[in-house]
Amino acid sequence: MKSLIVKNNIRIDASVTRVWEVLTKPEYIRKWDKLPENFGDFQIHPMTVIEWPGYSTLRVIELAINKKLKYSLYVPAWNDESITDIGYTYTLSVDDDGHTWLGVEIGDFAILSEGIKYYDASVTFGETASQKIKALAEKRPIAL
């Protein structure tokens, strides 16, 4: 079976800690992804569950500060509660020249009967989110 995993890698001219902020603070997440209206402003942590009732749930299943953030995705419309290995993984690394790299992996949608539909939507999301995360992380701090 062919895998349906969206993969993006993008170089960001900002520190790993700055990119991590953009990945984990709701004030930034809201600028590159959707959050439920009632989510609040708590930074993403190992027990975070982001729920859109009746639509989908994201659960943090792995969190290594400044390195990796992984969510599992559950969608009730899939009618199969055993599907828990589809998710979003954000990986941060620094190359030998000191550049920060963000890797985004979404999927694997191959286990779904309509997997290609979810894959196609995720290709767009992955590209758009990566660009927005890059832009947010590269902005200079605003002096107060």
Side-chain angles (χ1 to χ4, degrees):
M1 180 192 310
K2 181 183 171 214
S3 69
L4 292 173
I5 301 172
V6 174
K7 293 182 182 184
N8 280 317
N9 283 298
I10 190 166
R11 189 178 111 185
I12 300 177
D13 295 319
S15 68
V16 167
T17 53
R18 173 68 181 156
V19 180
W20 185 256
E21 276 187 347
V22 173
L23 288 176
T24 60
K25 288 191 173 181
E27 66 186 277
Y28 296 115
I29 297 169
R30 288 183 179 95
K31 294 177 182 175
W32 61 268
D33 196 5
K34 295 180 179 89
L35 283 174
E37 286 182 27
N38 65 349
F39 186 72
D41 289 322
F42 301 103
Q43 187 160 345
I44 302 300
H45 56 82
M47 302 303 290
T48 298
V49 175
I50 305 171
E51 188 168 3
W52 293 266
Y55 180 69
S56 67
T57 303
L58 282 174
R59 261 180 222 290
V60 171
I61 57 170
E62 192 176 336
L63 187 145
I65 295 173
N66 297 332
K67 292 184 176 135
K68 187 174 189 178
L69 176 60
K70 184 173 184 175
Y71 295 96
S72 68
L73 173 65
Y74 171 69
V75 176
W78 295 340
N79 293 322
D80 186 346
E81 292 187 23
S82 70
I83 297 175
T84 57
D85 47 358
I86 293 177
Y88 293 78
T89 304
Y90 302 92
T91 309
L92 293 173
S93 60
V94 179
D95 67 20
D96 293 340
D97 296 323
H99 297 116
T100 300
W101 287 85
L102 169 65
V104 179
E105 242 182 61
I106 309 166
D108 182 354
F109 296 106
I111 60 175
L112 299 174
S113 57
E114 295 184 317
I116 195 74
K117 176 178 86 172
Y118 290 98
Y119 174 83
D120 289 345
S122 295
V123 167
T124 303
F125 170 79
E127 290 171 0
T128 304
S130 296
Q131 290 298 325
K132 287 180 180 178
I133 291 165
K134 176 180 172 70
L136 287 164
E138 290 179 352
K139 280 188 179 174
R140 296 187 183 281
I142 298 167
L144 299 176

